[in-house]
Amino acid sequence: MTTTSTTPAPSSQPSAASRRARLSLGAALPYAIAVVAAFAVVAVLIVALGHDPIQAFRAVLTNSFRNQTGVVQTLQKWVPLTLLALAFVIPLAAGRFNIGGEGQMILGATGAVAVGIVGSGLPAAVLLPLVVLAGVLAGALWAAVSAWLMDRFSVNEILSTVLLNFVSFELLDYIASSVWSDPGAGGAVTIPIAAAAELPTVGRPPMHIGVILVAFLAAGAAVLARRSTAGYELRAVGLNERAAKLHGIRTSRVAVASMVVAGAIGGLAGAVEVVGVHHRMLEGIQSNFLLLGIIIGLIARGSLTAVPFVAFGIAVLEVGAGSMQRASGVPVEIVLILEGLILLFLLMSDVIADRVRRSRTVAVAAQEATA
Amino acid sequence: MNEFVILTITAMVPFVFVAQGTMLSGRAGIFNVAQEGLMLLGAAVGYLVSLSVGSDLAGLVVAGFAGAVFGLILAWATTYLRLDQFVVGLALFFLSGGTASLLYRLVIGQDEPPRIKPLPEVVLGLDAMVLAAVALSVALWWWLYRTDAGMRLRSVGENPKAADALGIPVFRTRMVAGTVGAALMAVGGAYLPMVFSGVYADGIVAGRGWLAIALAFFGGWRPQFILIGSAFFAAMDVLAQKAQVTGLGIPHQFVSMLPYLATLLVMVFAFRWALVPGFLGRNYDRESRITS
């Protein structure tokens, strides 16, 4: 503290500070504390269950790096996790909650599968971009419904996105078991898309290039959020909607746009899963990416810069969970508890940091007063 | 009684408990979003206790206590530490959901789970929890709107600064409402294995927790409308299932969409009365000079 004011500094809300979270030591320290504390609690839990925590942690953390397959698996899981986290974080910056990531993802997958099947015969250079675009547009449109209801009728966006998720599950079931059903697959699975619509792969074992594209997208989104006018307006609306409005920002338009962009990103996640991983659409394609996306966004404290890194950590945990159960007998549910604890302890460490900062400010002020 | 009515009322019960719990917490300003996990916890604890003790009532009570513990953590972290409610709620959702699966896995393992006996029928083919759900709704309405204590709780959720100035214990009210609300959510979850399946499964809640949040908004955070909304939603759901069996000439998936679309449509037309507690989801800072 270099300020010499005699009045205590106004209490800084952790959330306001967190939005400006930089990858500096000050920001990294709570993360380190939270992760270590969460692992410690889980280790106690594993011992209580009668297993060896060291062996379990080694299995969960090294699985992604032991061989090429693990690396590719982790990176391909990282793609939807990053995209769904972005789809959650962008409206969050404007103070809106998008819980519809999985619905937007399913619509994206539906759009991609539809174009990928109907458009067979087109050359790859035309078909592949069309397929991805269809997914992005379908996702954006799905989110636009919620955004419109929010803007026009003040229907709470949590409510509409959650309800539309359930509608999308039924839509997926209909498409996969009635429209383009694959009779040989058993269960709700569509026929494969045209080979020309599949994403090219690199390396061995093959990794789809969606990983590289999403890395660029995430970097671009982080820069835009910090440097562009749109990003500034987005943050302004989230921090103080009334002040933003008074300064001439069209707040409702920013909020609607944030939802639509989120939907487009969710749709992209669905399209990439179709063209990159499954090459078809199947029931359960959304996995638990929505919830993991939300928790990633929250651990990243809404920072678009931090999202890809946190998503990578969660991808490692998720890929390693199965191997941990096989290697040491510790149930996979432990990973869920670990993720919840990391988030909880991160919040707690914010409180402690805030208390320390406050007491230091008060001490400085007292010194000034006596001097 | 008519089979359709019985099915509807039974399907309504978990929604009533969870949505009323959401409403009770929300009316004191605490927006709980851990329903899905708390219901799963309630289902696991309720099933396991009921199995080992042989009494469904014990299962319901212990499930309620398990939910109360998580509710207490949520209320404490948001009231005294003023942590973000949404974030803490989701962290607790992960923790409670993980705990539920873990408990079940530890006790039952990979074996074929034994079934617990269903709740006994009390009147007209309905079990006691149906009566409890309706009684709870009526009692909550009466308490919130016809007693001083209820009005105090509502004032905490609308304007805690004013409530504080009047000497209403804002912090304590939030702690109690958050804890009891979460207990109700877990009880609603415990009902699921006792009536529908007889066993616990990780997918047993199937999004009902999220729908309960939707129902709290749908009912304008008022117990009487939440009861009606839950009944409406359950009726639509049962109708959709019936149409699936008999067939209407349209794909059954579109019929299954109807409850969700109908709820959304009602919200569109009801947006004028769909009130939300003024301080919902926010934390009260006693030292802040910013009013409301």
Side-chain angles (χ1 to χ4, degrees):
Chain A
M1 279 290 156
T2 50
T3 51
T4 50
S5 64
T6 47
T7 50
S11 64
S12 54
Q13 289 290 321
S15 62
S18 66
R19 275 171 223 274
R20 286 180 280 107
R22 296 246 166 115
L23 287 172
S24 60
L25 187 69
L29 195 64
Y31 278 95
I33 295 171
V35 169
V36 169
F39 269 95
V41 171
V42 167
V44 171
L45 206 58
I46 291 176
V47 171
L49 296 177
H51 297 289
D52 179 7
I54 304 295
Q55 193 190 0
F57 289 155
R58 190 181 297 149
V60 82
L61 293 177
T62 58
N63 191 52
S64 298
F65 309 105
R66 204 178 297 137
N67 52 37
Q68 293 277 307
T69 318
V71 174
V72 170
Q73 232 182 341
T74 309
L75 287 175
Q76 292 199 355
K77 192 143 208 161
W78 173 81
V79 166
L81 290 180
T82 304
L83 289 176
L84 283 186
L86 289 177
F88 174 71
V89 160
I90 291 172
L92 186 71
R96 302 299 193 277
F97 297 106
N98 175 23
I99 316 292
E102 57 188 0
Q104 291 142 17
M105 183 178 168
I106 286 173
L107 263 284
T110 307
V113 138
V115 175
I117 290 170
V118 172
S120 64
L122 289 171
V126 181
L127 186 58
L128 184 56
L130 268 184
V131 166
V132 174
L133 189 69
V136 169
L137 285 179
L141 208 65
W142 201 241
V145 175
S146 295
W148 177 68
L149 291 174
M150 175 181 83
D151 190 47
R152 177 73 183 76
F153 298 103
S154 326
V155 174
N156 185 287
E157 74 281 4
I158 299 178
L159 176 113
S160 62
T161 50
V162 164
L163 289 172
L164 286 178
N165 281 345
F166 288 96
V167 174
S168 74
F169 299 153
E170 300 296 336
L171 187 72
L172 186 155
D173 188 36
Y174 174 66
I175 303 266
S177 55
S178 298
V179 182
W180 289 300
S181 175
D182 185 351
V189 180
T190 67
I191 51 174
I193 53 172
E198 293 177 10
L199 265 187
T201 56
V202 289
R204 180 143 299 278
M207 177 184 81
H208 68 71
I209 60 161
V211 176
I212 300 157
L213 295 178
V214 169
F216 279 113
L217 181 87
V223 172
L224 275 182
R226 270 199 200 175
R227 298 263 177 256
S228 71
T229 316
Y232 172 76
E233 291 189 348
L234 184 72
R235 277 178 289 133
V237 172
L239 288 172
N240 191 337
E241 187 153 356
R242 213 162 129 193
K245 200 169 197 159
L246 286 173
H247 283 276
I249 295 172
R250 275 181 275 186
T251 52
S252 63
R253 221 173 67 167
V254 171
V256 165
S258 74
M259 290 290 284
V260 174
V261 168
I265 293 174
L268 178 65
V272 170
E273 284 297 287
V274 166
V275 296
V277 180
H278 303 292
H279 302 142
R280 55 179 80 219
M281 186 165 74
L282 58 156
E283 190 151 38
I285 193 170
Q286 78 277 14
S287 186
N288 56 349
F289 293 140
L290 167 68
L291 295 166
L292 293 174
I294 291 177
I295 209 160
I296 290 163
L298 294 176
I299 291 178
R301 299 155 172 211
S303 155
L304 272 74
T305 317
V307 158
F309 299 99
V310 178
F312 185 75
I314 298 292
V316 168
L317 287 180
E318 288 293 316
V319 168
S323 120
M324 174 193 70
Q325 186 163 16
R326 281 190 302 279
S328 61
V330 177
V332 287
E333 285 78 20
I334 283 285
V335 170
L336 205 64
I337 294 178
L338 181 67
E339 287 159 356
L341 282 176
I342 291 176
L343 183 56
L344 204 59
F345 287 146
L346 189 62
L347 291 168
M348 300 280 182
S349 62
D350 275 348
V351 174
I352 295 164
D354 197 43
R355 293 254 160 102
V356 169
R357 204 179 311 126
R358 272 193 205 196
S359 62
R360 209 179 282 166
T361 317
V362 172
V364 169
Q367 243 170 17
E368 296 288 325
T370 51
Chain B
M1 215 194 287
N2 184 323
E3 190 208 350
F4 169 72
V5 177
I6 290 182
L7 282 176
T8 299
I9 292 178
T10 315
M12 174 189 86
V13 170
F15 287 125
V16 172
F17 273 95
V18 183
Q20 300 291 23
T22 310
M23 183 278 299
L24 186 65
S25 301
R27 267 316 180 73
I30 293 182
F31 185 25
N32 191 332
V33 288
Q35 283 86 349
E36 192 80 10
L38 290 170
M39 284 182 81
L40 203 60
L41 182 74
V45 170
Y47 167 75
L48 293 173
V49 170
S50 169
L51 190 67
S52 51
V53 179
S55 151
D56 282 341
L57 183 66
L60 289 167
V61 170
V62 178
F65 274 109
V69 171
F70 280 86
L72 196 65
I73 297 173
L74 174 71
W76 171 73
T78 58
T79 303
Y80 288 96
L81 302 183
R82 293 200 303 278
L83 295 175
D84 190 290
Q85 300 193 2
F86 192 77
V87 185
V88 177
L90 283 170
L92 291 178
F93 157 50
F94 272 65
L95 286 178
S96 53
T99 310
S101 301
L102 194 64
L103 277 176
Y104 174 79
R105 204 76 67 238
L106 288 178
V107 178
I108 305 293
Q110 302 297 334
D111 308 335
E112 178 73 22
R115 298 176 77 85
I116 51 174
K117 54 182 193 308
L119 285 172
E121 293 176 4
V122 182
V123 281
L124 304 166
L126 300 170
D127 56 71
M129 284 293 278
V130 173
L131 304 179
V134 177
L136 174 77
S137 302
V138 175
L140 277 174
W141 168 81
W142 181 80
W143 188 74
L144 280 174
Y145 290 99
R146 292 290 180 272
T147 69
D148 279 354
M151 197 184 68
R152 278 189 225 116
L153 182 123
R154 286 188 286 128
S155 73
V156 169
E158 292 295 336
N159 190 340
K161 190 122 193 148
D164 203 5
L166 287 172
I168 295 166
V170 173
F171 284 22
R172 208 193 312 153
T173 307
R174 282 170 63 112
M175 293 293 283
V176 171
T179 307
V180 175
L184 289 176
M185 292 169 200
V187 170
Y191 184 76
L192 298 172
M194 292 178 187
V195 169
F196 297 114
S197 56
V199 294
Y200 168 87
D202 282 342
I204 193 169
V205 180
R208 284 187 183 86
W210 294 108
L211 286 170
I213 302 182
L215 284 171
F217 277 104
F218 182 76
W221 299 84
R222 280 168 287 186
Q224 67 273 34
F225 295 122
I226 286 174
L227 181 66
I228 295 168
S230 304
F232 167 77
F233 186 84
M236 295 295 293
D237 203 29
V238 172
L239 270 182
Q241 282 167 26
K242 272 196 158 337
Q244 200 167 326
V245 178
T246 53
L248 290 174
I250 51 171
H252 68 83
Q253 289 92 347
F254 288 98
V255 181
S256 303
M257 286 178 193
L258 284 179
Y260 310 108
L261 292 177
T263 308
L264 210 49
L265 205 65
V266 172
M267 277 312 284
V268 169
F269 289 108
F271 71 101
R272 275 176 223 289
W273 57 258
L275 306 170
V276 171
F279 216 67
L280 181 70
R282 292 163 62 191
N283 294 328
Y284 174 49
D285 184 353
R286 234 184 160 170
E287 292 163 27
S288 167
R289 286 183 203 152
I290 304 162
T291 46
S292 84

